[in-house]
Amino acid sequence: MNRKEQKLQTRAAIMDAAFSLLSDERSLSSISLREVAREAGIAPTSFYRHFKDMDDLGLTLVDEGGLALRQLMRQARLRIASGGDVIKVSIDTFMEFVFANSNVFRLLLRERSGTSTAFREAVSREIQHFIAELTDYICRHTKLPLERANLQAEAMVKLVFSTGAEAIDLPPAQQKQLSERLIKQLRFIAIGAASFKK
Amino acid sequence: MNRKEQKLQTRAAIMDAAFSLLSDERSLSSISLREVAREAGIAPTSFYRHFKDMDDLGLTLVDEGGLALRQLMRQARLRIASGGDVIKVSIDTFMEFVFANSNVFRLLLRERSGTSTAFREAVSREIQHFIAELTDYICRHTKLPLERANLQAEAMVKLVFSTGAEAIDLPPAQQKQLSERLIKQLRFIAIGAASFKK
DNA sequence: TAAATTAGCGCACACTTGTAAGCTGAAAAG
DNA sequence: CTTTTCAGCTTACAAGTGTGCGCTAATTTA
């Protein structure tokens, strides 16, 4: 089946092209189908052999991006299992990702509040995954009731994303500082969740 | 000076037009100069008599939107002065704003992670204002050291914005629920900040 | 009153865009 | 070998874009 193989390769080329066109001043919605095709080295109309339209492509990218990020965070949790502070290791990992794959992170960030309902839902789903995994982790490592663990996880994930968004276009000097602030703030949440009454 | 007056009116018409074109599926960057002109009832080229380009217009809108939101939150704090729970009143006010002026809030949200550095900075500035005002409030109403108050305020504002973003396209039934979750999470932060050691 | 300013308009231009229609050549199926 | 399938191409078109240029008519200034 050499034919299918070739097709997958072109499909990958299209996705790569789209990713590489993303930057701090280009979002998916400002990139045209023709640009992607040009970058991928195919005719504009050939695009349709692989995706229904740009939204279709975008959804695929969001899914892929979210998956990559979550896989990384799972690895981080493994690192923690073999000793180390949960919060610190997680944040370090996260920030590493943000800078190593800033286009992916930007994609998620932008589409989270973007103009396409489908995109927003896709990103929202990704974030829910994060929250679910973190909730699970908290439950297993503390004695908090499920509901409280979930509240804590949600607050943490939102704060982390928010800070990641801010950090992404900052010089490394200030990144570090921001990370440290974030870590303290996450501890606020952890402490508060643990000693919350009523 | 009837001439200047007329001009200001047209300028206002342009800004209104732009605002009214915003929606959950139209962002500033997807709105064309010609569309704005059409909606405002002027010729496309007349637009230039008032703004350098769409970015210029956008910046003005961001400034105006941020100002409106901050003024509202100041009012909320006055309401609190005459009795009432700080967090609850603030969040209720905020959520009211989000739904009454959803286009303004969406504008801020989107441009926060948008493609224009100038926009991002403008929104960032607005958020810093929020944080500064809240920090000040916390300092005056608790015995926390400045730095800790600032950390708390920052975490709170980010969490509130993040939740507002999520709430904006949710049915009222779930809005309420989300607000209640948010309030608990803010208490986590308040408690954590108060009892943070080291 | 005469001159200067200017908000708004119409026209025009050069582009870019998404995508429909139909062809080609090679791979896969029979 | 013959037929079918189909990824990718070329061509074409209608629609929309930002903006330069120069005019007009009314207001403001002198």
Side-chain angles (χ1 to χ4, degrees), chain A residues 54 58 74 77 79 108 118 170-171 174 179 183 187 191:
Chain A
M54 282 294 287
R74 265 194 281 262
R77 258 173 243 123
R79 270 202 255 169
L108 291 176
L170 240 48
Q174 288 173 50
S179 287
I183 288 174
R187 292 205 202 290
I191 294 171

Side-chain angles (χ1 to χ4, degrees), chain B residues 63-93:
Chain B
D63 284 353
E64 187 140 303
L67 187 64
L69 183 50
R70 263 184 295 134
Q71 280 174 342
L72 199 82
M73 296 310 285
R74 266 194 282 260
Q75 282 178 15
R77 258 173 243 122
L78 290 185
R79 271 201 254 169
I80 295 159
S82 56
D85 178 20
V86 204
I87 290 180
K88 182 156 180 16
V89 174
S90 297
I91 296 309
D92 287 351
T93 308

Side-chain angles (χ1 to χ4, degrees), chain A residues 1-195:
Chain A
M1 300 268 160
N2 209 356
R3 195 69 173 281
K4 300 276 171 193
E5 208 174 287
Q6 265 300 329
K7 182 165 186 183
L8 282 180
Q9 203 168 310
T10 304
R11 183 188 157 97
I14 293 177
M15 292 175 62
D16 282 357
F19 262 128
S20 77
L21 285 171
L22 290 174
S23 75
D24 63 319
E25 42 202 16
R26 303 296 313 274
S27 73
L28 256 194
S29 57
S30 76
I31 293 173
S32 69
L33 183 154
R34 285 173 107 107
E35 271 180 296
V36 173
R38 220 176 292 139
E39 181 77 14
I42 60 170
T45 47
S46 301
F47 179 95
Y48 296 107
R49 302 283 185 201
H50 302 271
F51 299 96
K52 194 180 150 289
D53 48 30
M54 282 294 287
D55 277 18
D56 189 16
L57 205 210
L59 272 180
T60 310
L61 294 183
V62 168
D63 284 353
E64 187 142 301
L67 187 65
L69 183 49
R70 263 183 295 134
Q71 279 173 343
L72 198 83
M73 294 311 286
R74 265 194 281 262
Q75 282 178 15
R77 258 173 243 123
L78 290 185
R79 270 202 255 169
I80 295 159
S82 55
D85 179 20
V86 203
I87 291 181
K88 183 155 178 17
V89 175
S90 297
I91 296 307
D92 287 351
T93 308
F94 183 80
M95 288 298 178
E96 258 173 52
F97 177 88
V98 169
F99 292 105
N101 310 59
S102 46
N103 282 355
V104 179
F105 188 67
R106 256 191 256 269
L107 175 69
L108 291 176
L109 268 187
R110 292 213 173 111
E111 301 314 330
R112 177 149 88 121
S113 55
T115 49
S116 151
T117 308
F119 281 19
R120 270 182 268 137
E121 280 168 1
V123 176
S124 178
R125 240 179 288 132
E126 293 299 329
I127 292 185
Q128 286 308 320
H129 276 301
F130 272 98
I131 295 176
E133 290 185 13
L134 183 54
T135 300
D136 186 57
Y137 182 89
I138 293 172
C139 274
R140 276 193 281 99
H141 289 258
T142 69
K143 298 198 163 71
L144 289 191
L146 178 65
E147 195 217 330
R148 189 123 35 104
N150 187 240
L151 278 170
Q152 178 184 346
E154 185 189 56
M156 283 180 153
V157 169
K158 284 180 177 172
L159 191 58
V160 168
F161 265 73
S162 199
T163 305
E166 195 182 348
I168 201 169
D169 36 32
L170 240 48
Q174 288 173 50
Q175 287 165 24
K176 189 112 174 57
Q177 200 184 340
L178 208 55
S179 287
E180 282 165 19
R181 289 175 64 82
L182 174 58
I183 288 174
K184 280 182 197 156
Q185 290 166 329
L186 292 175
R187 292 205 202 290
F188 287 176
I189 295 175
I191 294 171
S195 65

